[in-house]
Amino acid sequence: MKYVTEYRDAALVKNVIEEIRRTVTRPWTLMEICGGQTHAIVRHGIDQLLPPEIELVHGPGCPVCVTPLELIDKALAIASQPNVIFCSYGDMLRVPGSGRDLFSVKAQGGDVRVVYSPLDAVTLAEKHPDKQVVFFAIGFETTAPPNVMSVIHAQRLGLKNFSVLVSHVRVPPAMKAILGSPHNRVQGFLLAGHVNAVMGYHEYPPLLEEFQIPMVVTGFEPLDIVQGILTTVQLLEAGKIEIANAYQRAVTFEGLKPAQDAIHKIFMECDRTWRGIGMIPMSGWCLRPEFDEFNAEKRFNVGDIHTKESSLCIAGQILQGLKKPHDCPAFGKECTTENPLGATMVSSEGACAAYYKYGR
């Protein structure tokens, strides 16, 4: 654990923060795009240690949070059907749909199971040929490779009772939507290191050219995060529009080509609705038509489900960096981790959950 411990060394973190204090000369607003980074920032109090000139706002990098409400309702509709085993990661079970969540379906007799890998769902399909096994394939680029491998593996096994409900989203189009908004406040981005570990950062130069703001690939430990902030501030103060890699131990410019090839074999780009934000063109991945036999939406005919967001929840504004969780009048009142109005309160990477858990 020595390698990880060094990235949590309080003295080293304080030294970098002091360097940020010496560097900054004016206010800057930075966005960490990843929910995992948001939780690390709030958990370790990094935002409170920074000089007052630096404001961190929280981006839409929580895959559970941005899974659209209509996809949750489709999941609920599928999971409620007889002879279905519905598989999902654990933090999706408490995400509210229009009127209930997957835990409610399970309590009412639905066969809803928590899995730790999409290949676990494929194994269930092998063991239960009399059941339809559905895996809820959500996430950013990070979780796409194992999800596509589940489809490839099921196809090789000739399974006819396995399908995926796909809700994959992509980071660069979301950043473009945020930066292109007339209400945008973001002046620099901390890029999500795990996304870049898979995809590299060769997709970002067009955004750099169009919006002229620096971006820094950043990791998840306290030292990673403050180093990413320092690098971003240094670029901003010097007036440099660049992409820097402050997470070189895990990320290269090209990324993992075999993983990218697998993704593009199974998925194609598509328009995707983001919960609380709305539709962002070509911001998602969906199954290619040649893999329709594994498409749960088509297998269970739930493509026409449409929904409406809660009027009380301001998660969309939080996910765009326009407001903080404590700006929501329902925060900690009508909306708690026990009774969430939106996914940002229930997800393990949600900004509202972080503020609520750590008492902000």
Side-chain angles (χ1 to χ4, degrees):
M1 293 300 291
K2 182 174 182 291
Y3 188 68
V4 174
T5 303
E6 290 171 341
Y7 284 90
R8 298 174 182 172
D9 187 302
L12 294 176
V13 171
K14 289 177 181 178
N15 287 341
V16 177
I17 289 175
E18 286 305 310
E19 183 64 25
I20 294 171
R21 291 184 188 278
R22 289 191 290 268
T23 303
V24 67
T25 63
R26 51 159 290 186
W28 299 108
T29 301
L30 314 182
M31 174 178 279
E32 82 278 357
I33 196 72
C34 171
Q37 290 172 340
T38 300
H39 269 254
I41 288 166
V42 179
R43 176 187 176 189
H44 296 288
I46 291 171
D47 55 334
Q48 295 182 329
L49 295 172
L50 292 170
E53 293 89 347
I54 306 299
E55 181 185 5
L56 297 180
V57 294
H58 317 307
C62 162
V64 173
C65 302
V66 300
T67 300
L69 185 59
E70 64 185 45
L71 257 296
I72 303 295
D73 283 355
K74 289 175 183 179
L76 295 170
I78 294 170
S80 300
Q81 296 191 26
N83 298 315
V84 167
I85 300 175
F86 193 88
C87 301
S88 172
Y89 296 130
D91 52 359
M92 288 301 301
L93 268 64
R94 292 192 57 242
V95 177
S98 293
R100 53 181 181 158
D101 56 25
L102 285 167
F103 263 130
S104 300
V105 173
K106 185 175 178 67
Q108 293 165 5
D111 195 346
V112 178
R113 305 191 190 189
V114 173
V115 295
Y116 298 95
S117 163
L119 293 178
D120 292 344
V122 177
T123 300
L124 282 171
E126 285 186 274
K127 292 181 177 178
H128 301 277
D130 58 324
K131 303 282 189 179
Q132 286 292 330
V133 177
V134 182
F135 177 69
F136 202 175
I138 73 156
F140 284 87
E141 294 91 335
T142 315
T143 57
N147 289 345
V148 301
M149 289 308 299
S150 71
V151 174
I152 292 171
H153 189 46
Q155 186 183 53
R156 287 173 179 169
L157 294 172
L159 296 178
K160 302 299 181 184
N161 64 327
F162 175 78
S163 57
V164 289
L165 180 62
V166 179
S167 183
H168 265 292
V169 285
R170 301 171 52 239
V171 169
M175 291 173 57
K176 183 172 183 177
I178 290 168
L179 292 171
S181 167
H183 306 294
N184 172 53
R185 301 175 56 226
V186 179
Q187 296 166 292
F189 267 108
L190 306 182
L191 300 177
H194 50 10
V195 169
N196 300 125
V198 175
M199 301 303 294
Y201 51 101
H202 58 270
E203 296 179 284
Y204 294 87
L207 289 175
L208 196 76
E209 291 293 323
E210 182 174 357
F211 296 104
Q212 295 290 297
I213 72 166
M215 306 172 186
V216 178
V217 180
T218 305
F220 302 90
E221 297 297 336
L223 188 59
D224 286 321
I225 292 170
V226 295
Q227 185 62 52
I229 293 169
L230 173 60
T231 305
T232 310
V233 171
Q234 288 172 335
L235 291 173
L236 286 166
E237 292 283 341
K240 294 181 178 179
I241 308 302
E242 298 177 5
I243 303 175
N245 184 3
Y247 198 35
Q248 293 185 17
R249 69 183 187 276
V251 173
T252 64
F253 181 75
E254 297 82 9
L256 299 176
K257 191 67 164 54
Q260 296 166 25
D261 291 343
I263 291 168
H264 296 139
K265 177 182 177 181
I266 306 297
F267 288 154
M268 63 181 185
E269 293 180 6
C270 63
D271 296 343
R272 180 69 75 194
T273 299
W274 296 52
R275 187 168 189 165
I277 298 176
M279 197 277 289
I280 301 177
M282 305 306 285
S283 64
W285 278 323
C286 57
L287 285 170
R288 292 185 177 277
E290 55 265 39
F291 295 97
D292 272 353
E293 63 180 304
F294 299 102
N295 189 330
E297 285 191 61
K298 295 188 176 181
R299 179 171 294 188
F300 294 92
N301 195 27
V302 293
D304 290 332
I305 292 178
H306 301 285
T307 54
K308 187 178 180 181
E309 298 280 355
S310 166
S311 59
L312 289 176
C313 182
I314 66 165
Q317 297 176 69
I318 293 168
L319 292 168
Q320 296 174 75
L322 302 176
K323 290 190 176 181
K324 300 287 181 68
H326 51 65
D327 295 325
C328 178
F331 177 76
K333 299 169 186 171
E334 294 90 348
C335 184
T336 66
T337 53
E338 292 77 22
N339 295 288
L341 291 178
T344 48
M345 179 58 88
V346 73
S347 169
S348 61
E349 294 189 359
C352 295
Y355 276 61
Y356 190 83
K357 181 177 181 178
Y358 299 112
R360 293 298 173 85

